[in-house]
Amino acid sequence: MEKELYKAIELRKGGNHKESNKLLMKLVHEFPDDASINYQCAWSFDLLGEESKAVPFYENAIKLGLYSKDLEGALLGLGSTYRTLGEYEKSKSTFLKGIESFPNNKAIQIFYSMTLYNLNEHSKAMELLLKCLTDTTTDDEILGYKKAIDFYSNKLDEIWE
């Protein structure tokens, strides 16, 4: 099993997404209770642009229990997939679980801000994006205004007189 899973991952890395997906589907049928195989299978459907097919594999992988790094990726993948399918509330709750479990993962926060945008929570989305930007940038021009950007990030609708 491990040899075939490694091969499927290598195929994906090499850009052979359909072949990787075929091998992962075979593996998930042979080992339906393996969280890692379910996660890799979900990921393969995302790469093929078949998001709705990815969902049950992400959900199953998370339910079965993943190691920390894979769980981090699965929560991001599932939240993003829900968002692309227009299931914004499911996306939001998935991202909130991801942020709670992995508070330092800025990618989860960025994808969450996209969901907030879709839910018309524009102020919260912008605040989160601006905070992520100032927390992660190395751009000296932006860093020169970090204090001001952070200050205004949650006051975008205020008018100053």
Side-chain angles (χ1 to χ4, degrees), residues 4-21:
E4 285 183 295
L5 181 58
Y6 177 80
K7 181 180 178 185
I9 292 169
E10 289 302 306
L11 285 167
R12 179 181 65 225
K13 287 179 183 176
N16 299 311
H17 300 151
K18 285 186 179 183
E19 195 175 336
S20 175
N21 176 263

Side-chain angles (χ1 to χ4, degrees), residues 49-106:
E50 299 181 36
E51 284 81 1
S52 61
K53 290 182 180 177
V55 169
F57 294 103
Y58 276 129
E59 291 173 338
N60 202 31
I62 293 166
K63 183 181 79 183
L64 289 168
L66 289 165
Y67 293 107
S68 184
K69 198 66 182 167
D70 282 351
L71 178 59
E72 204 168 350
L75 289 169
L76 191 151
L78 180 59
S80 178
T81 298
Y82 280 146
R83 190 191 72 77
T84 64
L85 295 172
E87 297 187 44
Y88 303 130
E89 290 299 332
K90 284 183 178 181
S91 176
K92 183 177 182 176
S93 67
T94 302
F95 284 133
L96 287 173
K97 181 178 178 183
I99 289 168
E100 182 182 318
S101 301
F102 305 100
N104 296 320
N105 185 315
K106 298 299 183 195

Side-chain angles (χ1 to χ4, degrees), residues 86-137:
E87 297 187 44
Y88 303 130
E89 290 299 332
K90 284 183 178 181
S91 176
K92 183 177 182 176
S93 67
T94 302
F95 284 133
L96 287 173
K97 181 178 178 183
I99 289 168
E100 182 182 318
S101 301
F102 305 100
N104 296 320
N105 185 315
K106 298 299 183 195
I108 292 174
Q109 294 175 36
I110 296 294
F111 278 88
Y112 175 53
S113 73
M114 292 182 217
T115 297
L116 292 174
Y117 171 86
N118 292 123
L119 289 167
N120 293 315
E121 296 182 40
H122 302 123
S123 293
K124 279 176 68 176
M126 281 297 297
E127 178 182 355
L128 187 54
L129 283 174
L130 289 169
K131 295 272 188 188
C132 284
L133 174 66
T134 60
D135 286 348
T136 62
T137 191

